[in-house]
Structure formats: structure tokens, C-alpha cells
Amino acid sequence: MSLDSLTLHHLIRELAPQLVDARVDRIHQPEKDEVHLHLRPKHLSGERFPGPIRLLLNAGSTSARLHLIQGSKPNPTSPPMFCMILRKHLEGARLLNIYQKDLDRIVILIFQNYNERGDLQEYHLTLEIMGKHSNLILINPLTGAVLDGIRRYSHALSRHREILPGRPYISPPTQQKTLPTDETTWIETLLSRTVLELPIVGALLKTFTGMSPELSRELAARAGLNEDTPLDHCGQIDLSRLYQTYAELLLHRDTTPMAPTLYYPANPKAHWSHVPSYTPSYADTLSVTQVTPTAFTFTPYTQYADHHPQRISTLNEALSLYYETRSLSNKKEASRGSLRRIVQDACAHTGKKISIYQDAIDKATQTLPAQKLGELLMANIYRIPPKATEITVDDYTQTDPAPQTDTPAGCQLTIPLDPQLTPVANAQLYYRRYNKAKAAIEKTRPLLETVQSEYAYLQSLLISIELAQTPQEMAEIHTELIEQKYIASKTSGHPKTSSETRKTSRKTANRQQLAAKTSGKTSASNAKPKTRSPKTPSTPPSRPHQYLSSTGHIIIVGRNNKQNDRMTWREAHSHDMWLHVKNIPGSHVIVPLNETEEFPDDATLLEAAALAIHFSQAAHSSHVPVDYTHVAQIKKPNAAKPGMVVYDRNWTLFLTPDPAVISTLLETEDRHPAP
């Protein structure tokens, strides 16, 4: 959803009292298409001095907008050229006015500041919200020339106008739309300017000023019409109802009661009772269960009746929360996609190695019968004539039919021979083939087991990536990939070997001794104590999911491999119950027990098993085996990957999770007592 003309009108009405007469303190451009103006509002007599405010101006192709923000973004080391131009002309300036041009998505901010000659001069900062053609342009109104634009382009990209320093500013082309103020003219205009076969929404969008797809659908919804209904199917009463809704929202827009609302998808898994009111740091704690809003409106919209509404105190806060959460969601999905590609590439590489090793073992296995052929040749060595190319012998080595060839016992077997070799040499040749195949299997099988274990670990990483809900969890998976050498570290580089470390330490010691000899001895009292730089506070690790069973027991579910290790080896007690889907990548599940309890109740055990299936690769399967045992039985092999464990004493149950039970369990997250 984009910021339409009508919502922009109400937003400017809301922001103007705070912005007009404010002074520009600082200007930053943290992103390519985004500028932040740090403003100091005017002090009113009898009121406390208001704090500084930040006005965000975004000219991005998908999120062009303006609103106030309370947080900040990291700035580039060197400011872009457009930021420098804004600082030159607008720092210290006073904002005289902010208005919308003709109910279009064009906002003009009028500043007054001293020019290079020391005279007061106006500058116009124009934000054009036009999708992929959005722009932010600084204009000199005295000459009508463009001082600079956040996006520069020439006639090669736009035949209508150029946005280059020194070029005259030309407004975007008009769309030849109207804004009738009486019902008769409105209906005549609608019927005369559009094709009658066009749907209602398309006809409204094409004819009238200030229309957007969302607003057109809202007019149709309030008039009780289907948005896909062709215009020629509408009677006079239908058109009259359309005009009434049009007049209510557009013509009488200044008297429309404001009730800013965010709309979320109707999701039974969402914790709507826990969605808080707007706070600056709310977006930092969003998760999948607190879903990204679908739309924002200045007043409740009928078309979103099937969504979950959340009232916000101001329209500015609604926009801030909407775009902040959308940005966080986009970054999270981009990070998820990047991590997924890395792991999938590693899976493809590991899968090729598995195929190569398996083919080598299969090929060697087919050569193992060479031992029997050598033994049969040695038993029949006296029967082999010189220069023979083959010999047929009785296969007396089997008393039952051969499992591979289904050859009946005591049948004859023809063995190929090399005529250039003696009978003994032919037998030895078959022995060498057997020994070579046996050695290949013995050497390849451990390699195959290693890459199979790595492949299973990579599959568990894919599950963790798909289940990750917050940027913190994404960062933990990224760190895990760095530690496992799937991603190169930008800071540490290639690790040094022990010999390189010893050489470096010896060189350092030699330099210190040489420096001490050349500079003379320094007394211990004059030596300055070394000060350690303060350590950067580390981000606390994310916490696992915690749910409540139907009988009130806590069920803990890990979010990723590192967390699985932490909760299993550091936080769980030896008598706690541990669950995991059998031979399938997934999360560790812990059911805390008292020392006097050996097993949880049946309902808790089944619900914990259902959660183990839900947070695994078998989430959509049926009759899934789930192993459960006590934590004391879990062992971690040496040099094993994170999250990988072994156990030999366990019980197994087969379960097909009930979606209603899963939904009920997911709704209990964060409703348990704090540990």
C-alpha cells in the first residue's frame, strides 16, 4: 500500500502545526532515497520548550512518503552530494509553510534562509510521490531553476523534463482529471470520460482527482457495490450512492473524523491481545506472531472488514509504524533469502559429494565378488591350460542360491582370464581387484558418513532459517555459519596455524627486546599501566519458545542449532524430558520435570511431540516418529556440528499433529511464568 493523495492531505493537516516556523538544525541522508531533517520547533509562550523533531522525506520507488520519526539511522561516512546541497541552503533555515499541490501527491516545503550574499531568500523543497518516478527536488523559486534532486535524470530518461542542477523546474505532467462538486456533473463526467465496460474501480481511478486503488475500492465498498462490477451495470441509485461516498471522503475531507487505523491479516496464530500501542522501539521486537500490517488508513475502511484493526493515536504514528515494520520485514526476508541461498548452495555441493562417494562405494561393492573368483581359480589351478581366455568351474562356495545372482548351488561359473598371464597371476589379479575394492569402501565409507552428517546439519539450518522470526535470530544463524566456515568472516580473516602463531609471537618478543635495548631501561615505577579498551557490550542471546500445555506444564522449543545446544547442555536438567523428531532435522524440545517425576503427563507429552513435529522438516507429514528420552541420555559426539546429538536409550511415539492443538499451543507463548 502506498501513501495516496487523500491520506497525504490529512497527514499534512496533522503535521503542519508542528512543522511551521521550525528551524532546521541538521540534515542527514542515511539512505540513497531518504533525507532526515532535524527540526527545532518554535517556542510558544506559556509552553515548555518542545524537543527536536525529525522529519523523514523518502523518495523511494516503493515507499515514498514523509512523516516524523523518533529513531535514527546510521549515516554514511561521507555525505552524498544532494545532502551537501541541502546543508548549504537549508541548515539554519525556517520552515514557512508546508502544503499539498492540488490534491496531488506533491508536497512543497517552503524554507527561508540567508543566501550567500546575506539576503533572506526562499527555497522550495518538493517531494513528488509518484511510484518509481518519485523524487525530492530543491528549487530556487526566484529563478525557477533546480538546485539539485535526489534523483537526477535527463531527457534520455524523461522526454517531459530534466532534473539537473541549473535546469528550469517543470511540474510533472497533469493527468487531466477533475474534482466535480455536484452530483449531476459528477455522474455526467464519470459516464462521459470512461469506457462503460470498465469496472467501477478502474473508472473512478481514471476520472477523478485524488483517487487511488484503495480509495476507489473503498467508495465501491461503502456504496455496497462489487469492485468488479462494470460501470454500465450501475443504475442511477448505484451512481448516487457512489457520489455520496465520494463527497463524504473527498469533498468534505476537512470535516472527516480522524481515526487512524492499522490493519493486520486475520491470522488465528497472531497474538492480537498482545499487539501493543505504538512505541518507537516496537518494531525491534516484532515477530511472525505479531504480523506486519497490511494497510493503514486515516479513518476505518469498510473494505478491510475481514482484517484485524488496531487504532493508533495519530496518523503520523500509524505511518511510522507501518513503514518501520514493513522495512524490518523486508530486511528480515532479504536476510532470510541470503542465508537460504548460502545454505542451499552448501547443500548442493554436499549432495554432489554424497553422490560421488555413494557411486564409488557401489562400484567397489560390485567388485567384491572378485575374491570368490580368485579362490575358485586357485582351487582349479591344475585345470587351467596355458593361454586360456576363460574357464568354467563348479561354484562349490555356496550351499544356497547366491543372493546377488540367484545362481543355484553347485552350478557352473565361467571366469574370464587374461591369456598373457599365468593361472596363478590371473588369480592374484582377482585378489588385487578385491583388495582394491575393499580398501576403497573402507576409506570412502567414513567420508560418506561425514558428508551425510554435514548434509543433515545443513538441512537443520534450513529449518532454522525458515522458522527464524526476528533479526536477532537471523544474526545468530549468520554467526553460526561464520563459525562453521560457510561464510568468510570480515574481521578475523583466515585463521593462523599454530606454527604461524609461534613465529608471530617470537617476532613480537624480538621487537620488544630490541626496543628495550635501544631506548634504555625504564624503571617499573615510571612505566605507565596499560589501559584496556572497554569491551563492546554483546547482544544477549535470544530466548527459546516457551509454551504451556493443556495441563499447565512448560514446553521449551529451540529456535536454532546454537540455541538447541544451549538449552540442552546448559539450561536443562538431567531429569528433564527431551524430544526430537526421529532422523529428521528439527528443533530440540524440553519438558522441565521435577526430580520426583520420571515422565510428564500424557497430554503434555503428546503436545510436546506435536510441537517437535511442527518445528521440524516433517511439519506437514502424518504418522511422524518422535523420540523422547531424558536429558541424561543425550550425548554430543566430539567435533559434532551445533545441534547434533546421539542417544541410544529412548522411546518412540508416532503422531499426526492436530492443527487445532498446534494453534492453541502457539497462542500460549509468553503467557507462562518467567523462569
Side-chain angles (χ1 to χ4, degrees):
M1 180 179 181
S2 58
L3 181 61
D4 61 18
S5 300
L6 187 57
T7 307
L8 185 61
H9 170 80
H10 291 289
L11 178 64
I12 293 175
R13 285 181 56 207
E14 179 181 289
L15 294 181
Q18 303 178 62
L19 298 179
V20 174
D21 285 335
R23 293 279 182 181
V24 181
D25 276 346
R26 290 172 295 162
I27 301 175
H28 292 137
Q29 188 176 346
E31 296 183 8
K32 178 182 178 182
D33 299 322
E34 186 171 296
V35 169
H36 293 182
L37 302 181
H38 297 248
L39 303 173
R40 187 174 67 253
K42 182 180 179 181
H43 174 56
L44 301 178
S45 59
E47 295 184 5
R48 293 184 59 187
F49 184 82
I53 57 178
R54 295 183 178 92
L55 176 63
L56 179 147
L57 301 169
N58 189 295
S61 58
T62 59
S63 57
R65 66 195 189 276
L66 81 158
H67 57 80
L68 300 180
I69 58 173
Q70 298 185 12
S72 60
K73 294 183 178 180
N75 295 303
T77 53
S78 58
M81 178 60 69
F82 183 69
C83 181
M84 298 296 290
I85 296 295
L86 291 181
R87 289 178 179 178
K88 175 183 177 182
H89 296 287
L90 298 186
E91 277 194 347
R94 185 165 63 95
L95 180 59
L96 298 180
N97 193 14
I98 175 173
Y99 67 94
Q100 182 183 15
K101 183 179 179 181
D102 300 329
L103 205 59
D104 286 334
R105 293 195 297 172
I106 299 177
V107 182
I108 300 175
L109 294 88
I110 302 178
F111 294 90
Q112 187 183 60
N113 200 13
Y114 292 97
N115 59 20
E116 296 175 350
R117 298 187 300 272
D119 300 328
L120 280 175
Q121 179 181 338
E122 287 188 1
Y123 297 93
H124 290 183
L125 185 60
T126 303
L127 176 63
E128 300 174 349
I129 304 176
M130 302 184 301
K132 65 179 182 180
H133 302 293
S134 299
N135 210 338
L136 183 62
I137 308 167
L138 182 64
I139 305 166
N140 185 348
L142 296 179
T143 62
V146 174
L147 295 176
D148 205 354
I150 201 168
R151 289 184 178 180
R152 295 183 179 183
Y153 49 84
S154 63
H155 284 310
L157 293 178
S158 173
R159 292 179 295 177
H160 178 73
R161 61 176 184 165
E162 289 183 313
I163 302 298
L164 294 173
R167 297 290 188 182
Y169 174 73
I170 301 175
S171 299
T174 60
Q175 298 179 335
Q176 304 299 326
K177 296 181 180 181
T178 61
L179 192 68
T181 56
D182 64 275
E183 182 174 345
T184 303
T185 306
W186 187 86
I187 294 176
E188 291 177 354
T189 303
L190 179 62
L191 296 177
S192 62
R193 290 198 177 188
T194 59
V195 180
L196 296 182
E197 290 79 9
L198 203 64
I200 293 176
V201 172
L204 294 173
L205 189 62
K206 186 178 180 180
T207 307
F208 301 114
T209 301
M211 283 293 169
S212 67
E214 290 79 14
L215 183 58
S216 300
R217 288 194 294 267
E218 182 61 20
L219 294 184
R222 292 192 178 195
L225 299 174
N226 191 311
E227 62 182 54
D228 297 325
T229 302
L231 185 60
D232 60 353
H233 288 190
C234 296
Q236 184 66 29
I237 297 178
D238 297 329
L239 296 177
S240 179
R241 289 203 305 266
L242 270 177
Y243 173 77
Q244 296 301 324
T245 58
Y246 162 85
E248 177 186 357
L249 291 177
L250 280 168
L251 298 183
H252 306 149
R253 55 185 178 274
D254 290 340
T255 60
T256 302
M258 295 288 289
T261 308
L262 286 174
Y263 291 94
Y264 295 84
N267 185 354
K269 296 180 182 179
H271 296 174
W272 299 120
S273 60
H274 294 282
V275 176
S277 301
Y278 172 77
T279 57
S281 59
Y282 167 56
D284 297 333
T285 59
L286 288 177
S287 66
V288 170
T289 55
Q290 295 168 340
V291 292
T292 304
T294 302
F296 60 89
T297 59
F298 61 91
T299 192
Y301 270 18
T302 305
Q303 61 180 302
Y304 297 119
D306 58 341
H307 286 60
H308 183 89
Q310 180 191 2
R311 293 292 178 88
I312 307 296
S313 58
T314 64
L315 182 57
N316 177 78
E317 292 175 352
L319 261 72
S320 298
L321 181 56
Y322 175 83
Y323 283 106
E324 189 176 1
T325 52
R326 299 290 292 188
S327 175
L328 181 65
S329 176
N330 292 338
K331 290 180 180 178
K332 182 178 67 177
E333 292 306 316
S335 176
R336 190 193 310 277
S338 176
L339 295 176
R340 187 191 294 117
R341 284 191 298 272
I342 292 172
V343 177
Q344 286 176 343
D345 290 345
C347 282
H349 179 68
T350 306
K352 290 181 180 179
K353 293 169 69 175
I354 291 175
S355 178
I356 292 172
Y357 292 149
Q358 190 62 58
D359 290 344
I361 291 177
D362 293 342
K363 186 177 180 180
T365 302
Q366 295 175 0
T367 313
L368 289 179
Q371 180 187 24
K372 182 180 74 172
L373 299 182
E375 293 175 351
L376 291 175
L377 285 179
M378 292 301 295
N380 295 273
I381 197 72
Y382 63 94
R383 296 179 50 208
I384 303 176
K387 305 297 183 180
T389 58
E390 62 180 24
I391 184 174
T392 301
V393 299
D394 292 331
D395 186 6
Y396 59 85
T397 60
Q398 297 182 6
T399 57
D400 296 320
Q404 289 134 346
T405 62
D406 293 332
T407 304
C411 72
Q412 292 185 330
L413 184 64
T414 301
I415 304 175
L417 299 175
D418 187 350
Q420 303 297 326
L421 299 178
T422 64
V424 175
N426 272 290
Q428 292 175 345
L429 177 62
Y430 280 106
Y431 283 133
R432 285 196 298 271
R433 290 178 182 174
Y434 164 75
N435 291 330
K436 183 178 179 181
K438 181 181 177 182
I441 293 175
E442 291 176 351
K443 291 181 179 179
T444 307
R445 185 165 287 136
L447 299 176
L448 177 62
E449 293 174 355
T450 300
V451 294
Q452 285 176 337
S453 176
E454 182 180 6
Y455 188 82
Y457 168 71
L458 292 172
Q459 291 297 311
S460 70
L461 279 177
L462 285 176
I463 296 297
S464 299
I465 291 171
E466 297 304 324
L467 295 177
Q469 299 176 356
T470 63
Q472 185 182 13
E473 295 176 46
M474 293 291 186
E476 289 179 350
I477 298 174
H478 185 269
T479 302
E480 182 179 348
L481 289 172
I482 291 177
E483 293 174 351
Q484 299 301 320
K485 305 296 190 280
Y486 292 105
I487 299 179
S489 175
K490 294 182 179 180
T491 57
S492 60
H494 297 288
K496 295 182 178 180
T497 62
S498 58
S499 60
E500 291 175 343
T501 304
R502 289 193 296 270
K503 289 179 181 178
T504 303
S505 61
R506 285 198 298 267
K507 289 180 180 179
T508 304
N510 293 337
R511 291 196 194 100
Q512 292 176 351
Q513 292 177 2
L514 181 61
K517 290 180 181 178
T518 55
S519 60
K521 295 181 179 180
T522 304
S523 62
S525 60
N526 295 331
K528 294 183 179 181
K530 295 182 179 180
T531 58
R532 296 183 179 180
S533 58
K535 294 183 179 180
T536 304
S538 58
T539 305
S542 62
R543 300 301 304 163
H545 298 288
Q546 294 196 26
Y547 305 100
L548 276 181
S549 71
S550 57
T551 57
H553 278 75
I554 293 177
I555 303 174
I556 306 173
V557 182
R559 298 174 185 264
N560 50 59
N561 289 322
K562 293 177 70 68
Q563 196 174 90
N564 288 335
D565 277 356
R566 187 167 61 249
M567 58 184 275
T568 300
W569 302 111
R570 298 183 184 178
E571 299 175 359
H573 297 92
S574 59
H575 55 269
D576 291 341
M577 187 59 64
W578 181 93
L579 299 93
H580 194 281
V581 179
K582 189 179 188 68
N583 298 329
I584 298 175
S587 296
H588 294 195
V589 177
I590 299 291
V591 179
L593 300 176
N594 297 326
E595 294 184 2
T596 57
E597 292 181 300
E598 185 177 4
F599 295 98
D601 59 272
D602 292 345
T604 299
L605 183 62
L606 291 174
E607 291 170 0
L611 287 173
I613 297 172
H614 177 74
F615 289 96
S616 74
Q617 204 173 50
H620 304 290
S621 303
S622 59
H623 206 59
V624 181
V626 179
D627 289 343
Y628 62 99
T629 185
H630 294 97
V631 174
Q633 304 298 327
I634 307 299
K635 298 179 178 60
K636 189 172 185 67
N638 294 331
K641 299 284 187 180
M644 309 299 286
V645 299
V646 295
Y647 50 91
D648 52 10
R649 295 181 58 187
N650 65 278
W651 301 267
T652 303
L653 57 86
F654 293 84
L655 184 67
T656 301
D658 185 354
V661 173
I662 295 293
S663 178
T664 303
L665 287 169
L666 295 180
E667 290 179 357
T668 65
E669 186 170 12
D670 299 329
R671 297 183 188 177
H672 51 78

